[in-house]
Amino acid sequence: MILGRLNHVGVATPSIADSIALYRDVMGATAIGAPFDLPAQGVKVCFVDTPNTQIELIEPLGADSPIRAFLEKNPAGGQHHVCYEVPDIHVAKAWFEEKGLRVLGEPRIGAHGTPIFFVHPRDMGGVLTEIMATPKGAH
Ligand code: CO
């Protein structure tokens, strides 16, 4: 396993519109993507670009969104996960599993259109960790 760049920090929010206003008007973000639905993952997503990484705003989509429980515990929203790039998603998955860490599901296409998987926060020092295949042509 080769640890790549920090691709994004995932931030759960009850309202992407309110969070966009915060990042734009308070934090001075100038590159904010259009929000889009990711029905397969049960979330609406919006990327805010910073000079060296992105913030991934995630809002629940549908009744059984996987981030509903998080927002019940954190009604104002909060930092939800961090995402690192790796050169090979399958090598990375096998690496974590070999070490006995809990990989949550099979690699699937994430918000960047590249394969991703999550590693259980209890096996990652309390941090829900997303592992993403480095996007083609990136960087
Ligand atoms: Co993410």
Side-chain angles (χ1 to χ4, degrees):
M1 154 97 181
I2 299 164
L3 179 63
R5 86 193 256 287
L6 174 69
N7 182 280
H8 63 264
V9 176
V11 173
T13 173
S15 166
I16 279 182
D18 290 353
S19 292
I20 286 175
L22 175 69
Y23 280 89
R24 184 190 57 219
D25 301 339
V26 178
M27 296 296 283
T30 55
I32 299 175
F36 58 98
D37 292 353
L38 216 54
Q41 314 246 2
V43 289
K44 176 185 268 210
V45 177
C46 174
F47 287 106
V48 177
D49 290 351
T50 79
N52 64 338
T53 188
Q54 288 182 312
I55 306 298
E56 179 188 52
L57 300 172
I58 45 179
E59 181 188 301
L61 180 71
D64 34 82
S65 171
I67 63 165
R68 282 220 184 270
F70 181 90
L71 285 172
E72 274 162 28
K73 279 184 231 147
N74 308 273
Q79 193 259 304
H80 181 261
H81 65 272
V82 293
C83 177
Y84 298 101
E85 295 177 9
V86 296
D88 187 310
I89 196 83
H90 299 290
V91 167
K93 180 171 182 274
W95 171 269
F96 284 111
E97 286 175 340
E98 188 183 293
K99 298 193 171 310
L101 277 65
R102 282 164 285 186
V103 169
L104 304 172
E106 290 301 309
R108 54 200 176 275
I109 299 301
H112 286 79
T114 59
I116 62 105
F117 63 81
F118 285 90
V119 186
H120 200 293
R122 288 209 190 99
D123 297 335
M124 290 297 294
V127 180
L128 176 60
T129 300
E130 181 179 3
I131 301 295
M132 172 196 281
T134 303
K136 296 255 181 297
H139 328 309

